[in-house]
Amino acid sequence: TSFTAAANTLFAENFGLSMLWNRQEAIEAFVQIVLDHIGGMLYVDPATGKFALKLIRDDYVRETLPQYGPTNLISAEDYQRQAWGETVNEITVVYTDHATGKESSVTVQDAANIMAQSGVVAQTRSYTGIPWPPLAQRVALRDLNSASTPLARIKLTATRAAWAVFPGDVFRLTWPEYDIADVVYRVLSVNRGTLHDGQIIIDAVEDVFGLPDNTYLVDQPSEWEDPSNPPAE
């Protein structure tokens, strides 16, 4: 079901690839290359023992997402937010032009990030399975959207209430200790522990698609002080 849904989405996006596995590398490495191209995550569903495929897309309704917080989480730790200096503001995607069969490239920039860092921080990514310039441009913009945004990461320890959380899923997180209030996070990995330990460990990152609606508990107070004195008597 998940593979069919992913195929339908990719078809609707005109997301076609032209690739060859030459058996010179492990099949797992080739699968990861495909996942990097399409923006997807592959995992094993513990309920069925079968592989499942999840595409990272803006395909959810925020109000319907599950919510996690102090009531169903045991702890939250390793909370870190990227600094602007850790982000990338120029992405160059190398692809294979279907007309010539040779490698070509497209470059996109985030002008606001360039101004914030007072310079260009560039990164090149190889997606040689992409055969068309328009698709290469879309993928470059996709990568730039996340690479140029200082996202936060966190490690959560949950009860078995999070049994249905899988890699690529999104949820709403509230954790007052870190001033997080109803922020959308996306699951990077899940460790379901052992039979004797019911804890579920979730590594998650702030979802770039949810940023416009994310909120935080505390506003930064102004440090301005009124320099005027009361009138002398």
Side-chain angles (χ1 to χ4, degrees), residues 51-119:
F51 283 106
L53 178 60
K54 173 72 174 181
L55 297 179
I56 309 304
R57 299 290 190 274
D58 184 12
D59 57 359
Y60 58 85
V61 178
R62 181 189 180 96
E63 290 70 23
T64 64
L65 297 178
Q67 300 185 50
Y68 291 93
T71 59
N72 48 20
L73 293 176
I74 299 172
S75 66
E77 54 190 355
D78 295 341
Y79 176 72
Q80 298 178 346
R81 179 175 294 280
Q82 284 181 300
W84 282 108
E86 298 176 280
T87 62
V88 174
N89 52 39
E90 179 181 283
I91 294 286
T92 296
V93 164
V94 177
Y95 68 98
T96 304
D97 193 307
H98 73 288
T100 64
K102 297 181 180 180
E103 290 187 356
S104 187
S105 64
V106 296
T107 300
V108 294
Q109 293 182 330
D110 185 323
N113 188 298
I114 291 175
M115 292 182 64
Q117 298 201 59
S118 300

Side-chain angles (χ1 to χ4, degrees), residues 229-233:
N229 297 318
E233 296 180 359

Side-chain angles (χ1 to χ4, degrees), residues 152-172:
R153 298 186 60 160
I154 196 167
K155 181 178 181 180
L156 306 172
T157 301
T159 65
R160 284 296 169 183
W163 68 271
V165 173
F166 299 105
D169 285 351
V170 283
F171 60 90
R172 293 156 62 185

Side-chain angles (χ1 to χ4, degrees), residues 194-222:
T194 65
L195 291 175
H196 300 288
D197 184 0
Q199 298 181 355
I200 297 176
I201 309 299
I202 301 170
D203 287 314
V205 64
E206 195 172 6
D207 186 59
V208 69
F209 299 120
L211 286 178
D213 297 320
N214 287 345
T215 58
Y216 292 85
L217 290 174
V218 178
D219 293 328
Q220 292 294 331
S222 173

